[in-house]
Amino acid sequence: MINLLKKDLIACFKADIKTISKLIIGLIIFSFILFPIAVIMIPLFISYIFILRSFYLDELNKCDYFFNSLPIEKEDIVYSKYLLATIVIIISLIFTFLYSKIMNHMWGFNNFSIESTLYILSMILFLISVLFPVMFKYGYRKSYVLINLIIAVMIIISMLSSMGSSVESTTTETVSILKDNSLIIRTGISMFLYLISMYVSNKIYTKKEIAS
């Protein structure tokens, strides 16, 4: 599984003009147009690019057929994808934290906090929990439209819920989280769904017939 994870990490983060262009354009949009909700959109944007890129490259290079000819357990392929997603999420949150510091220095606007972190984490984990079983079942290309439709709906909901309300990281807000633990509960549920999704994906992919 470690070798599979290394393969995914190298393939996903290997620089190419198309991926770099997407990142630059996305960051420009978030920095100058959508910066009030940037802390929500940037982790989602980074996760979308690199996690889905892993499935895209596997399908492009017909890795399923290659893995089928090797003594590799299908469950290791599933686990490596979820581990990759976890790593990408952590990297995206770290990057967003640093980005928020830059935005605070440039614009005096900083809405990266414990609340926003929990909100982002619960949303991305929920999305992955829904999308991964679909991609393991039908493949990246066949489920591409459905995947992007689900993501678009989540983005719209996130934009509407955060419109006009900037979350600032203060001691008062930290205390409010301790009093109102709805976000903590939501994040815990998302983590649980993430584990359930991994189990479901494992069952789906293990039973999936792959031509040799």
Side-chain angles (χ1 to χ4, degrees), residues 56-74:
Y56 166 74
L57 291 175
D58 278 358
E59 195 162 310
L60 180 66
N61 297 314
K62 301 186 184 298
C63 287
D64 279 346
Y65 303 104
F66 176 68
F67 292 149
N68 197 39
S69 65
L70 296 175
I72 297 176
E73 296 292 335
K74 286 185 177 180

Side-chain angles (χ1 to χ4, degrees), residues 4-38:
L4 290 171
L5 178 61
K6 287 181 180 178
K7 181 269 297 179
D8 284 334
L9 288 171
I10 293 172
C12 288
F13 291 103
K14 185 177 180 180
D16 64 73
I17 295 177
K18 187 176 180 180
T19 303
I20 293 174
S21 299
K22 285 181 180 179
L23 288 171
I24 292 175
I25 293 172
L27 288 176
I28 289 174
I29 293 174
F30 297 134
S31 298
F32 298 102
I33 301 176
L34 300 175
F35 68 90
I37 57 171

Side-chain angles (χ1 to χ4, degrees), residues 180-196:
D180 180 12
N181 56 3
S182 60
L183 272 175
I184 297 176
I185 294 174
R186 185 190 304 176
T187 304
I189 293 174
S190 297
M191 290 179 177
F192 178 72
L193 291 175
Y194 191 71
L195 295 176
I196 295 296

Side-chain angles (χ1 to χ4, degrees), residues 2-212:
I2 299 300
N3 289 330
L4 290 171
L5 178 61
K6 287 181 180 178
K7 181 269 297 179
D8 284 334
L9 288 171
I10 293 172
C12 288
F13 291 103
K14 185 177 180 180
D16 64 73
I17 295 177
K18 187 176 180 180
T19 303
I20 293 174
S21 299
K22 285 181 180 179
L23 288 171
I24 292 175
I25 293 172
L27 288 176
I28 289 174
I29 293 174
F30 297 134
S31 298
F32 298 102
I33 301 176
L34 300 175
F35 68 90
I37 57 171
V39 295
I40 294 175
M41 298 306 301
I42 287 179
L44 182 61
F45 178 64
I46 293 175
S47 298
Y48 171 83
I49 287 181
F50 290 107
I51 295 175
L52 268 64
R53 177 176 165 81
S54 169
F55 284 90
Y56 166 74
L57 291 175
D58 278 358
E59 195 162 310
L60 180 66
N61 297 314
K62 301 186 184 298
C63 287
D64 279 346
Y65 303 104
F66 176 68
F67 292 149
N68 197 39
S69 65
L70 296 175
I72 297 176
E73 296 292 335
K74 286 185 177 180
E75 62 181 17
D76 287 340
I77 297 174
V78 174
Y79 295 150
S80 68
K81 292 297 185 186
Y82 278 86
L83 187 53
L84 170 70
T86 302
I87 293 172
V88 171
I89 292 170
I90 293 172
I91 292 174
S92 70
L93 289 174
I94 293 173
F95 179 85
T96 305
F97 171 76
L98 298 175
Y99 168 88
S100 69
K101 294 299 181 183
I102 296 174
M103 288 297 99
N104 186 36
H105 178 72
M106 291 177 59
W107 307 104
F109 187 87
N110 180 19
N111 58 355
F112 190 88
S113 63
I114 296 176
E115 286 185 355
S116 62
T117 302
L118 291 177
Y119 182 83
I120 296 161
L121 184 60
S122 62
M123 182 175 67
I124 296 178
L125 289 177
F126 177 78
L127 271 173
I128 293 175
S129 299
V130 174
L131 298 180
F132 270 31
V134 175
M135 287 190 286
F136 277 113
K137 175 70 174 179
Y138 299 106
Y140 174 78
R141 292 185 180 180
K142 289 182 179 179
S143 57
Y144 180 80
V145 175
L146 178 60
I147 289 169
N148 284 278
L149 179 62
I150 294 172
I151 293 174
V153 171
M154 288 296 296
I155 289 175
I156 292 172
I157 293 173
S158 299
M159 290 178 68
L160 291 176
S161 65
S162 61
M163 194 71 70
S165 60
S166 301
V167 183
E168 299 179 358
S169 180
T170 62
T171 306
T172 304
E173 289 179 342
T174 304
V175 173
S176 70
I177 295 174
L178 297 177
K179 290 182 178 180
D180 180 12
N181 56 3
S182 60
L183 272 175
I184 297 176
I185 294 174
R186 185 190 304 176
T187 304
I189 293 174
S190 297
M191 290 179 177
F192 178 72
L193 291 175
Y194 191 71
L195 295 176
I196 295 296
S197 172
M198 184 165 57
Y199 174 80
V200 173
S201 295
N202 185 37
K203 289 294 184 182
I204 290 173
Y205 194 67
T206 300
K207 295 179 180 179
K208 186 176 181 179
E209 292 295 332
I210 303 172
S212 55

